Amino acid sequence: MSSGELLEIEPQELKFPFELKKQISCSLQLSNKTDNYVAFKVKTTNPKKYCVRPNTGIVMPRTTCDIIVTMQAQREAPPDMQCKDKFLLQSVIANPGTAPKDITPEMFNKESGNLVEECKLRVIYVSPPQPPSPVAEGSEEGSPPRVSLSDNGNSHASEFSAVSRAAYSESQDKSSEAKVLISRLTEEKNSAIQQNNRLCQELELMRREGGKRHGGFSFMYVALFGLLGILLGYIMRRT
């Protein structure tokens, strides 16, 4: 804060959160700690770039006055974000009852013998506040931690790569073992099917041979009993 004899000015620096192609404003507060009417006037080294409202006015005794300084939208940023623009605030004691419309340039003319108090203000560009970064997936409570990179980006990346290679090798070994097991089971299945088919064929052959044998025995048995019947009949007729 600048504590002059007439006005206290807050702040001493005009800080603009610089953004391209956007109007930006900041404010000044003038405090009159005296019992006098104080007239003020604001000048700048780059009047086309800034709009000051009000640029002249009256601060009545024991009161404050706010000034809004607006920087026009800029198409390009200055080198290293350094600004050479400056403001000059002049203040002078005015007659009691003076209104803003009564202020004249002669009131701030030192050559006329007026006691003019001056305060220089510089312009500073500051970076606009950055929005918070979104929470990465898996970083919430209860979620597994993500692999983070160290400052040089090598240590954790190497560890992660080694773990990945080991996991991949292990999965390849398990995959090979599974393929061998599946191949062996397939061969055993095919062999069992072949044996089953062979047993079915042998069983069918045995069934057919048994049928033939059974049929032959029956014919001989009938023929034998027929001969016996004829013989018995012949004997009975002879007797």
Side-chain angles (χ1 to χ4, degrees), residues 168-182:
Y168 177 76
S169 178
E170 183 178 355
S171 66
Q172 288 292 101
D173 294 341
K174 291 183 178 179
S175 177
S176 300
E177 293 177 1
K179 289 180 180 179
V180 172
L181 179 60
I182 292 173

Side-chain angles (χ1 to χ4, degrees), residues 43-50 84-88 123:
K43 296 181 179 181
T44 177
T45 56
N46 198 342
K48 294 183 178 180
K49 185 176 178 180
Y50 301 94
K84 297 181 180 180
D85 301 333
K86 291 182 174 57
F87 283 79
L88 177 66
V123 176

Side-chain angles (χ1 to χ4, degrees), residues 51-91:
C51 177
V52 182
R53 291 290 181 271
N55 63 340
T56 60
I58 296 291
V59 185
M60 292 186 292
R62 308 296 176 179
T63 63
T64 60
C65 176
D66 291 328
I67 299 174
I68 303 298
V69 181
T70 301
M71 182 177 66
Q72 304 303 317
Q74 301 298 300
R75 296 183 178 181
E76 59 183 14
D80 301 327
M81 291 294 288
Q82 299 297 319
C83 183
K84 297 181 180 180
D85 301 333
K86 291 182 174 57
F87 283 79
L88 177 66
L89 190 143
Q90 297 176 309
S91 57

Side-chain angles (χ1 to χ4, degrees), residues 11-16 82-88 119-124:
Q12 279 282 292
E13 299 172 337
L14 295 173
K15 295 183 179 181
F16 293 92
Q82 299 297 319
C83 183
K84 297 181 180 180
D85 301 333
K86 291 182 174 57
F87 283 79
L88 177 66
C119 179
K120 294 181 180 180
L121 309 173
R122 63 173 183 159
V123 176
I124 295 178

Side-chain angles (χ1 to χ4, degrees), residues 1 6-9 29-34 59 63-65:
M1 176 184 294
L6 301 179
L7 296 177
E8 291 182 351
I9 305 169
Q29 187 178 73
L30 310 181
S31 300
N32 183 358
K33 303 298 183 180
T34 71
V59 185
T63 63
T64 60
C65 176

Side-chain angles (χ1 to χ4, degrees), residues 143-206:
S143 301
R146 288 182 175 270
V147 178
S148 60
L149 295 178
S150 61
D151 293 338
N152 57 16
N154 294 324
S155 176
H156 291 285
S158 300
E159 293 177 3
F160 179 76
S161 178
V163 172
S164 299
R165 287 196 298 269
Y168 177 76
S169 178
E170 183 178 355
S171 66
Q172 288 292 101
D173 294 341
K174 291 183 178 179
S175 177
S176 300
E177 293 177 1
K179 289 180 180 179
V180 172
L181 179 60
I182 292 173
S183 178
R184 185 166 63 250
L185 292 176
T186 301
E187 293 177 358
E188 293 179 357
K189 176 184 176 182
N190 293 334
S191 177
I193 292 175
Q194 292 177 359
Q195 292 180 4
N196 183 60
N197 292 336
R198 187 163 54 250
L199 288 175
C200 289
Q201 292 176 359
E202 293 178 356
L203 181 61
E204 180 65 19
L205 181 62
M206 292 176 63

